[in-house]
Amino acid sequence: MSFRLFTCARCAREILDRHLLKVHGLTWHLKCLKCSVCAMSLGHHNSCFIRNKAFFCKKDYTSANDWVRRAGKDIYHLACFACISCKRQLSTGEEFGLVENQVLCRLHYDIMLLNLQRVSDNGGVAHLEGNLPMDCIPKTAKRPRTSFTSEQLQVMQTQFIRDKNPDAQTLQRLADVTGLSRRVIQVWFQNCRARQKRNQVHDIIPPLGSCKSSEMPLLSDNLLFLASGRLQTH
Amino acid sequence: MSFRLFTCARCAREILDRHLLKVHGLTWHLKCLKCSVCAMSLGHHNSCFIRNKAFFCKKDYTSANDWVRRAGKDIYHLACFACISCKRQLSTGEEFGLVENQVLCRLHYDIMLLNLQRVSDNGGVAHLEGNLPMDCIPKTAKRPRTSFTSEQLQVMQTQFIRDKNPDAQTLQRLADVTGLSRRVIQVWFQNCRARQKRNQVHDIIPPLGSCKSSEMPLLSDNLLFLASGRLQTH
DNA sequence: CACTAATGAGCGGTAAAGAA
DNA sequence: TTCTTTACCGCTCATTAGTG
C-alpha cells in the first residue's frame, strides 16, 4: 500500500478532495484553481486557459485582446505595453520600469540606471539639456538572447518527439503554455531540426574519442590533445 | 513547488505586496522605497532616481544637482568631487588635493608629488610638454574587491552543496537573496568549482613529492597530463 | 605570506538574423 | 522552409591583484 501525498500548487496544503486536479503539471485543490481575472473557480469548470503561467476562465481568456495593463496611474493597451528601448512586448508578471510614463523592460531599465549613474559620476547634467533619464535609454536596443527554463525545454522537447514540425495551432498552444512568444518557439523548432540533422551525421561516423585502441595503434600527441579537448596556446 | 521569499532592502521583512518592486538589484516594499530628501513613497510613483545609492523623487533628484562642495574658490558638484585617479568619491572632511582644478585624494596626491619629484630629479621638464603635474597622476582606477559577509557565504555554500552549477534563474535568486550582483555570484561559483577540483586532485593523487616509487612504476608524462587535466607549457 | 575575488583568453553550444 | 552566419552566454583555465 502506497501513500501519495499531494499538495496544492496554490496553498501548499494537502489535497483531500475527492478528485485530484492536475493542471500544467501541478496539482490543485478544486477551489484553489481560479481565474486570475474574475477569480471564479476553474476546478468545477470544463475549461481552463493558460497564458504566461496565469489561469483564466474562457470568457476572460477570449476577451484578452481588449486587455490593458495598469502601471502606476496609467493604463496601457496590451500591445502598447512594450519596452520603448527594445520594442519587446512584456508578459504578465514580467518586471518593468516606468520613466516619464514610458515603459521599459527590466534589462533596459537597469541599463538606463547605469547610464544615469555614469552621467552623474561624470559631472551631472551640465552637458545634457532637460530630459535626463530619457537620454540614458538606448534608442533601438537589440533584443536580448532568451534562455529557456528547464520546464520550457521539457515542454518543447516532449512535443518535438511527437512532432518535429508542429503546425501554427500547436505552436500557439506551446507559446501559451510556456509563456514564450510564438516566434521564439518556432525558431527553437527550426534549430532543433537542424541540430538533430547535424548530430545524425555524427552518429553514423563515430567521433574520434570512441575509437577502439586496436584501430588506432599510433597514440600520438594529437590524440592526447583531442582527448583533453583543450589546447593551451602559450 | 518552489517558494521565493523576498525581503525588503529597507525593513528586511518579507514582501507580500501584490507587486514586487525591484530597484537597483534589490527588492522593496512599495512603501519602503522613499525619496531620501522628502521621504515621499516612490513605489507608487512612475519614476525613481538614483545617485550614489540614495533614491530620489524627480524633483529632489534634479535639485540635487545643486549639491556642491567648495574647495578653494571653486565649487564642485558632489558627484564631481572624486579623485581623478582612483575615481573614488570623497567624503565630507576627507583630505584632498587640487591640481589644475582636478580633485585628488590624499593618497594619489602624494603619489603625484613623488612622481613630480622623480621627474625633476631626472632632468626636469625637457621631454614633457606643458601639463607636467597631470602626467604624474596614475591613470588606473583601483579595482574594488568585494568581501562577502558570513551570511552571504552561508547562502552560497549551502547552494553549492546542492548544485555546483546553478542555472541562470538560481543565480538570479541568489543575487536577490544576498544583495550581490549576479556576476559576483557567478564568479564565486566558478572559483568554488575550481577550488574543489584543485583540492580533489590533491586528495586522490598524492602530490609528486610523496609518491612512493614502488607503487607508481610507470608514471609517464602523458598520464600525468591526463590525470591532472592540466598542462604546464613552461 | 596564503587565500581568493576578479580578469581575460579561448571554446562549445545555441538563439537569432539573414539569404536562398 | 533550410542553410549559413553571427552574436551571445556560460564554462574552464591561467593569471593578476586585494585582503587578512
Side-chain angles (χ1 to χ4, degrees):
Chain A
M1 183 136 176
S2 70
F3 293 95
R4 292 205 291 168
L5 186 74
F6 289 102
T7 53
C8 173
R10 180 165 172 271
C11 69
R13 311 172 89 143
E14 188 179 0
I15 299 174
L16 300 169
D17 293 348
R18 188 185 176 92
H19 300 288
L20 182 68
L21 188 60
K22 265 198 177 180
V23 176
H24 207 44
L26 299 171
T27 50
W28 309 76
H29 283 123
L30 289 180
K31 60 186 174 186
C32 275
L33 189 67
K34 299 176 185 176
C35 171
S36 61
V37 176
C38 68
M40 72 180 285
S41 167
L42 300 172
H44 302 282
H45 227 252
N46 285 335
S47 57
C48 166
F49 296 82
I50 302 176
R51 181 201 304 277
N52 302 328
K53 294 177 183 168
F55 299 92
F56 305 98
C57 68
K58 182 167 186 177
K59 179 179 146 294
D60 284 321
Y61 181 80
T62 46
S63 64
N65 291 331
D66 298 326
W67 278 3
V68 293
R69 286 194 199 283
R70 288 160 205 285
K73 294 173 183 174
D74 295 312
I75 297 176
Y76 297 77
H77 285 125
L78 200 61
C80 295
F81 203 74
C83 173
I84 59 163
S85 185
C86 68
K87 311 289 182 286
R88 189 169 57 86
Q89 189 175 330
L90 304 189
S91 317
T92 303
E94 199 172 342
E95 295 171 317
F96 63 91
L98 278 178
V99 175
E100 296 179 5
N101 285 340
Q102 302 292 323
V103 177
L104 284 171
C105 70
R106 173 67 202 267
L107 175 67
H108 292 116
Y109 182 75
D110 287 347
I111 288 174
M112 182 274 294
L113 285 183
L114 275 175
N115 288 338
L116 211 54
Q117 183 72 41
R118 200 168 302 148
V119 166
S120 78
D121 285 350
N122 288 352
V125 205
H127 334 289
L128 294 164
E129 298 294 320
N131 55 345
L132 220 197
M134 293 304 285
D135 284 337
C136 292
I137 299 170
K139 287 300 168 276
T140 45
K142 259 192 178 178
R143 218 231 320 238
R145 179 192 173 111
T146 49
S147 45
F148 303 120
T149 68
S150 52
E151 297 144 16
Q152 290 167 334
L153 274 176
Q154 181 78 34
V155 171
M156 293 191 291
Q157 284 165 347
T158 305
Q159 177 65 37
F160 189 81
I161 293 168
R162 214 176 324 172
D163 179 11
K164 290 188 287 189
N165 283 66
D167 57 16
Q169 203 180 343
T170 312
L171 232 47
Q172 185 58 55
R173 192 181 55 76
L174 291 172
D176 293 339
V177 169
T178 56
L180 298 163
S181 82
R182 228 196 72 135
R183 173 63 182 159
V184 169
I185 302 272
Q186 186 184 38
V187 167
W188 185 86
F189 272 86
Q190 286 170 5
N191 284 320
C192 198
R193 283 191 294 271
R195 191 158 47 245
Q196 201 190 46
K197 186 175 253 179
R198 210 165 42 233
N199 291 343
Q200 265 180 6
V201 174
H202 290 166
D203 290 347
I204 296 166
I205 305 173
L208 276 177
S210 68
C211 291
K212 290 163 190 167
S213 60
S214 61
E215 296 164 359
M216 303 184 77
L218 302 170
L219 205 72
S220 71
D221 285 351
N222 282 337
L223 178 63
L224 256 182
F225 160 49
L226 288 168
S228 80
R230 174 65 63 100
L231 176 61
Q232 202 62 19
T233 49
H234 71 264
Chain B
M1 195 67 202
S2 69
F3 294 94
R4 294 204 292 166
L5 186 75
F6 289 103
T7 54
C8 172
R10 180 166 171 271
C11 69
R13 312 174 88 144
E14 188 179 0
I15 298 173
L16 300 170
D17 292 347
R18 188 185 176 90
H19 300 289
L20 183 68
L21 187 61
K22 267 196 176 179
V23 177
H24 210 44
L26 300 170
T27 51
W28 309 77
H29 284 122
L30 288 180
K31 60 186 174 188
C32 275
L33 188 68
K34 299 177 185 176
C35 171
S36 61
V37 177
C38 69
M40 71 180 285
S41 166
L42 300 172
H44 301 281
H45 224 254
N46 286 337
S47 56
C48 165
F49 298 82
I50 302 176
R51 182 205 303 280
N52 302 327
K53 294 177 183 169
F55 299 92
F56 305 95
C57 68
K58 183 169 184 177
K59 180 178 145 294
D60 286 317
Y61 178 80
T62 45
S63 63
N65 293 325
D66 299 328
W67 287 1
V68 294
R69 281 195 200 285
R70 286 160 205 286
K73 294 175 183 176
D74 293 314
I75 296 174
Y76 296 78
H77 288 127
L78 197 62
C80 296
F81 205 74
C83 174
I84 59 162
S85 184
C86 67
K87 310 292 184 287
R88 190 169 57 85
Q89 191 174 332
L90 303 189
S91 317
T92 305
E94 198 172 344
E95 290 175 318
F96 64 91
L98 277 178
V99 175
E100 296 180 5
N101 284 340
Q102 302 293 321
V103 177
L104 283 171
C105 71
R106 177 64 199 269
L107 174 66
H108 291 117
Y109 182 75
D110 288 347
I111 288 174
M112 182 273 296
L113 285 184
L114 276 173
N115 288 338
L116 208 54
Q117 186 69 42
R118 200 168 303 150
V119 167
S120 76
D121 287 352
N122 288 354
V125 204
H127 333 290
L128 294 164
E129 299 294 320
N131 54 347
L132 221 198
M134 294 303 286
D135 286 334
C136 293
I137 298 169
K139 295 293 174 290
T140 48
K142 271 213 294 189
R143 168 165 64 91
R145 181 188 169 118
T146 35
S147 38
F148 303 120
T149 69
S150 52
E151 295 144 17
Q152 289 167 334
L153 274 176
Q154 181 78 34
V155 171
M156 293 190 291
Q157 284 165 345
T158 305
Q159 177 66 37
F160 189 81
I161 294 168
R162 218 181 342 210
D163 179 10
K164 290 187 289 187
N165 282 67
D167 58 15
Q169 285 168 285
T170 312
L171 232 47
Q172 186 58 56
R173 191 181 54 76
L174 292 172
D176 293 339
V177 169
T178 57
L180 298 163
S181 81
R182 224 195 77 131
R183 174 65 181 157
V184 168
I185 301 274
Q186 186 184 40
V187 166
W188 185 87
F189 273 85
Q190 286 170 2
N191 283 323
C192 199
R193 281 192 296 270
R195 194 158 45 245
Q196 202 190 47
K197 184 176 250 179
R198 210 162 45 228
N199 294 340
Q200 262 184 7
V201 171
H202 290 164
D203 291 347
I204 297 166
I205 304 174
L208 272 179
S210 68
C211 287
K212 290 163 190 170
S213 57
S214 60
E215 292 170 1
M216 306 187 78
L218 299 172
L219 206 72
S220 75
D221 285 351
N222 284 337
L223 179 62
L224 251 184
F225 161 48
L226 287 169
S228 77
R230 173 72 61 98
L231 177 61
Q232 203 64 18
T233 47
H234 63 262

